């Protein structure tokens, strides 16, 4: 299942997400004229819902953090060794023994430096998973960076000799027709398909493989592969799941980046941990994820014409006729937060990265197209995902803007509203509700600090205390970087524009 830009159905479906978002954002104007009372009630509902989310996310964070602490303190390879394979579920997809479980780690690269790649490879060499001969690392490299990456890999192979699995290196040619420039999907697909061909020639059974993909700057916690293996082996219908941590950290450089970069990164970490802990039923693949290699093959790898991470979920979802869900664990990975050579370049790079993420809204028309075409997907599953998508575009995209500016826009559009009881009471009511919600910034700030790790030793006391004030600045981020790029992407998609080149976020270390 993919998007056909020449199809009338696809054009209509791509129009819907942006239309819903703009219709809701402009509701204080058009609905403020027709029925100001409804607008006032909607704005009150959003304020209450905001506090409800703050409360539930705090609960999710606390539970998720406890699981994180427990899982990172566990020897998961030892746990795998204690499993009784005769009692594990789904015998048809189960490797015979732990020694037959194999991992295919797919890492797309562009032109990353030796410093970046060394940190990632070092995290693989330090895995508490001594069966490293069962680990195959696929480095899929874009043609323009192949020479420098190849030289770096030669150095790393020698540096970590005897500590790594086999490295398979593939160069993805530029200019292949139909491929999206700048997206990782084409690179991943090229490298992985060639790796599968190679492994099959050697007589290895794809049935025994778990694939995992992550970016070239991603470092895996030492227990990551062991925890993934344990989760995979103990999950029923293992071909019908993707496997992912709920803890996406950015600790590689979190204390070196500018404030808004750190706030955005922490928002991803805390938001994902909270929401995935509370409910993982309607969650899509993100950044670093795993599945059986047979599931990847059944999904026909990645869509080379679209963005990759979230789109892969829907390819596997439809390949499994809607029976495809996450299996979550809490051993983390860590990536780079956006860091630029200058203050301006850093913020430009962050905006472009989030604009790329905003194009992830293409999964909404992709999902609904599949719901229409695939009659084997249960109606209840279609309804559940439809509600999830509606909530995303109707509420999550618009909530902060409307809570902040909605009432002011309403009273400007309809002067008569100023004379009503609702207009008199609404600002006080919403202000009280939102002030209650600010209470939850305290646990957010505390847990953010615990997950981000200790302050740099060279930081003075005043700078450490000042970092705790970054919590309230999340509201600024929600009105700028977490709002405008996503709105731009949805608007362009609504107007029929196509992304031709996606921004590759440069990895900067200084």
């Amino acid at each position: 299942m993919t998007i056909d830009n020449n199809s009338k159905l696809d054009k209509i479906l791509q129009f819907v997400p942006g239309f819903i978002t703009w219709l809701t954002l402009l509701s204080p104007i058009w609905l403020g004229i027709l029925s100001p009372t409804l607008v006032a009630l909607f704005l009150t509902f959003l304020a209450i819902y905001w506090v409800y989310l703050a409360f539930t996310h705090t609960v999710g964070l606390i539970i998720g953090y406890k699981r994180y602490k427990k899982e990172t303190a566990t020897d998961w390879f030892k746990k795998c060794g204690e499993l009784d394979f005769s009692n594990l579920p789904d015998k048809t997809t189960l490797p015979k023994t732990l020694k037959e479980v194999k991992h295919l780690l797919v890492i797309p690269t562009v032109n990353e430096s030796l410093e970046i790649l060394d940190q990632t490879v070092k995290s693989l060499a330090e895995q508490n998973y001594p069966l490293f001969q069962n680990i195959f690392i696929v480095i899929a490299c874009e043609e323009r960076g192949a020479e420098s990456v190849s030289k770096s890999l030669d150095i790393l192979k020698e540096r970590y000799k005897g500590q790594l699995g086999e490295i398979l290196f593939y160069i993805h040619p530029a200019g292949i027709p139909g491929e999206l420039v700048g997206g990782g999907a084409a690179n991943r697909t090229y490298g992985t398909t060639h790796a599968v061909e190679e492994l099959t020639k050697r007589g290895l059974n794809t049935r025994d493989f778990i694939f995992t993909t992550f970016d070239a700057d991603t470092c895996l916690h030492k227990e990551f592969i062991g925890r993934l293996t344990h989760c995979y082996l103990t999950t029923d219908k293992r071909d019908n799941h993707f496997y992912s941590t709920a803890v996406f950290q950015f600790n590689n450089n979190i204390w070196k980046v500018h404030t808004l970069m750190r706030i955005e990164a922490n928002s991803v970490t805390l938001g994902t941990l909270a929401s995935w802990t509370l409910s993982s039923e309607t969650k899509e693949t993100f950044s670093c994820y795993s599945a059986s290699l047979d599931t990847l093959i059944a999904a026909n790898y990645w869509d080379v014409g679209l963005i990759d991470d979230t789109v892969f979920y829907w390819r596997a979802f439809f390949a499994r006729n809607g029976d495809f869900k996450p299996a979550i664990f809490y051993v983390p990975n860590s990536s780079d937060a956006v860091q630029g050579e200058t203050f301006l370049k850093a913020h430009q790079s962050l905006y472009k990265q989030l604009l790329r993420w905003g194009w992830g809204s293409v999964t909404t028309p992709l999902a609904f197209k599949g719901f229409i075409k695939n009659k084997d997907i249960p109606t209840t599953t279609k309804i559940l995902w439809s509600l999830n998508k509606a909530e995303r575009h109707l509420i999550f995209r618009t909530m902060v803007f409307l809570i902040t500016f909605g009432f002011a826009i309403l009273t400007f559009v309809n002067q008569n509203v100023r004379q009503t009881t609702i207009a008199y009471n609404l600002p006080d009511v919403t202000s009280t509700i939102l002030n209650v919600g600010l209470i939850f910034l305290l646990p957010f700030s505390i847990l953010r600090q615990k997950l981000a790790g200790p302050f740099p030793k060279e930081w003075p006391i005043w700078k450490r205390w000042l970092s705790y004030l970054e919590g309230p600045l999340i509201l600024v981020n929600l009105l700028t970087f977490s709002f405008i790029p996503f709105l731009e992407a949805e608007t362009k998609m609504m107007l029929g524009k196509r992304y031709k080149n996606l921004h590759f976020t440069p990895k900067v270390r200084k």
Side-chain angles (χ1 to χ4, degrees), residues 294-310:
D294 277 9
T295 292
L296 178 65
I297 295 170
N300 196 20
Y301 301 90
W302 292 269
D303 191 323
V304 300
L306 296 175
I307 61 168
D308 44 350
D309 292 326
T310 50

Side-chain angles (χ1 to χ4, degrees), residues 62-75:
I62 294 171
I63 296 172
Y65 180 73
K66 289 181 178 179
R67 293 176 182 174
Y68 156 81
K69 293 294 289 184
K70 180 180 180 180
E71 291 199 6
T72 52
T74 301
D75 184 336

Side-chain angles (χ1 to χ4, degrees), residues 13-41:
L13 291 175
Q14 289 181 84
F15 179 82
V16 171
F19 177 74
I20 292 176
T21 299
W22 275 108
L23 189 69
T24 309
L25 282 174
L26 298 177
S27 61
I29 298 177
W30 64 269
L31 191 56
I33 297 173
L34 300 174
S35 180
T37 301
L38 285 179
V39 177
L41 292 174

Side-chain angles (χ1 to χ4, degrees), residues 323-354:
D323 186 9
F324 192 66
K325 300 176 182 178
I328 303 301
F329 53 90
Y330 293 84
V331 172
N333 63 59
S334 180
S335 300
D336 284 18
V338 176
Q339 186 174 3
E341 295 176 352
T342 65
F343 180 86
L344 180 60
K345 287 183 178 180
H347 287 77
Q348 289 175 334
S349 187
L350 176 63
Y351 186 92
K352 291 177 180 179
Q353 182 188 76
L354 295 175

Side-chain angles (χ1 to χ4, degrees), residues 7 20 32 72 77 118 159 176 186 188 257 260 304-305 361-362 375 432:
S7 163
I20 292 176
T72 52
F77 182 73
D118 178 57
R159 184 175 296 175
I176 297 178
R188 283 184 170 99
V257 301
L260 283 181
V304 300
S361 291
V362 75
K375 306 301 181 183
T432 301

Side-chain angles (χ1 to χ4, degrees), residues 368-431:
F368 281 101
K369 179 180 180 180
F371 294 162
I372 295 169
K373 299 286 187 180
N374 192 322
K375 306 301 181 183
D376 294 325
I377 299 173
T379 302
T380 53
T381 300
K382 293 180 180 179
I383 293 173
L384 183 65
W385 268 109
S386 297
L387 292 173
N388 174 271
K389 294 293 186 181
E391 182 183 43
R392 178 178 302 181
H393 300 291
L394 185 65
I395 296 179
F396 290 160
R397 287 280 190 269
T398 64
M399 178 185 293
V400 178
F401 176 86
L402 288 177
I403 290 175
T404 306
F405 302 111
F407 184 73
I409 295 172
L410 172 62
T411 54
F412 178 78
V413 169
N414 192 332
Q415 298 293 321
N416 295 326
V417 175
R418 297 177 182 272
Q419 312 303 321
T420 64
T421 303
I422 291 177
Y424 183 79
N425 292 321
L426 182 60
D428 291 336
V429 171
T430 54
S431 177

